[in-house]
Amino acid sequence: PARGPLAGAHLLVTAGPTHEPIDPVRYLANRSSGQQGFAIAGALAALGGRVTLVAGPVALPTPAGVTRIDVETAREMAAAVDAALPADAAVMVAAVADWRVETAAQKIKKGDAAPAPTLALVENPDILATLSRSPRRPRLVVGFAAETERVIEHATAKQRRKGCDWIVANDVSGDVMGGDANAVDLVTADGVEHWPRAPKGAVAERLAHRIADALKD
Ligand code: C5P
């Protein structure tokens, strides 16, 4: 049996980008590397937790002791999160695409539209907001907010809008996406804590310990 402060707890983590197909050979995506989410999943497992990691398309090894479910699209991620419940805590780190494309069944050819095709976008489900308001809501729901300005103000508004307990806010105006360090602000009901720039692994460990503390009471 697992040992550590999270022994007996089930933790659900999402990470990476999602890929939204345009046609059978093309997709829309974003620059998320999945590093921070994978590090969090590994840190939670290292504290003895049973961890389910729902991962979008990334080129990363599965952290030790983590059960990984690979998905491509936002809708697949939403279904995998739902199927993984119940959980004691959820940490939604994935950079989920806000929109998917009304896809074409066949490859769009250059001659199909003159002068060029237009992509019609459809809004994707908000996995974090749905989970926060679900009857099967985990006791602790943590969201991430990547902002480029007025980080704390936007993060606080996002916490209310999504209905989650904590928001980990990071300023992505620099080299955070794909980089190996992160400076974050942790927004909780008790206020805002600034965590200075540190390797993503150190941010993950600190957050994992905070989650273990929160699940204790
Ligand atoms: O609204 P925004 O994308 O900035 O919110 C970020 C937070 O919401 C992250 O925790 C992200 O994983 C989550 N999210 C989600 N489903 C979406 C969009 C965002 O779970 N469709």
Side-chain angles (χ1 to χ4, degrees), residues 17-21 56-57 71-78 96 100 124 127:
T18 62
H19 283 185
E20 307 296 331
V71 298
E72 287 211 1
T73 68
R75 285 190 292 178
E76 287 169 12
M77 187 171 276
V96 183
R100 65 178 176 274
N124 268 330
I127 301 166

Side-chain angles (χ1 to χ4, degrees), residues 12 14 19 36 92 109 114 171 193 208:
L12 177 56
T14 65
H19 283 185
Q36 185 65 81
M92 309 277 93
K109 308 289 277 183
D171 187 338
E193 266 173 52

Side-chain angles (χ1 to χ4, degrees), residues 14-16 18 74 77-78 81 91-99 123-131 142-147 158 161-162 164 166-168:
T14 65
T18 62
M77 187 171 276
V81 163
V91 192
M92 309 277 93
V93 198
V96 183
D98 292 317
W99 299 281
E123 203 167 317
N124 268 330
D126 191 311
I127 301 166
L128 174 61
T130 304
L131 184 66
V142 183
F144 268 65
E147 307 287 355
K158 189 162 294 183
R161 196 166 65 242
K162 305 249 187 182
C164 59
W166 300 352
I167 286 272
V168 180

Side-chain angles (χ1 to χ4, degrees), residues 2-210:
R3 301 175 54 151
L6 284 173
H10 180 214
L11 300 314
L12 177 56
V13 179
T14 65
T18 62
H19 283 185
E20 307 296 331
I22 295 169
D23 69 13
V25 300
R26 305 182 178 96
Y27 59 83
L28 286 186
N30 62 63
R31 295 190 188 282
S32 169
S33 67
Q35 279 186 76
Q36 185 65 81
F38 273 56
I40 289 166
L44 292 166
L47 295 185
R50 181 165 73 82
V51 179
T52 303
L53 170 61
V54 180
V58 294
L60 291 173
T62 307
V66 167
T67 301
R68 172 176 179 173
I69 298 164
D70 284 318
V71 298
E72 287 211 1
T73 68
R75 285 190 292 178
E76 287 169 12
M77 187 171 276
V81 163
D82 193 61
L85 296 175
D88 298 287
V91 192
M92 309 277 93
V93 198
V96 183
D98 292 317
W99 299 281
R100 65 178 176 274
V101 184
E102 261 179 15
T103 57
Q106 303 298 329
K107 183 181 173 189
I108 303 169
K109 308 289 277 183
K110 248 180 270 181
D112 283 358
T118 301
L119 297 180
L121 301 180
V122 185
E123 203 167 317
N124 268 330
D126 191 311
I127 301 166
L128 174 61
T130 304
L131 184 66
S132 294
R133 300 194 165 104
S134 146
R136 297 201 294 161
R137 184 193 200 280
R139 199 141 66 78
L140 178 68
V141 179
V142 183
F144 268 65
E147 307 287 355
T148 56
E149 51 155 17
R150 299 194 304 187
V151 174
I152 292 166
E153 189 183 325
H154 284 145
T156 307
K158 189 162 294 183
Q159 180 198 359
R160 293 209 192 91
R161 196 166 65 242
K162 305 249 187 182
C164 59
D165 300 298
W166 300 352
I167 286 272
V168 180
N170 55 356
D171 187 338
V172 293
S173 54
D175 57 355
V176 162
M177 279 188 122
D180 55 15
N182 211 352
V184 307
D185 291 285
L186 179 65
V187 179
T188 73
D190 298 331
V192 182
E193 266 173 52
H194 182 71
W195 295 3
R197 186 176 168 89
K200 288 181 177 174
V203 173
E205 279 172 30
R206 190 164 177 179
L207 184 64
H209 280 284
R210 280 300 288 267

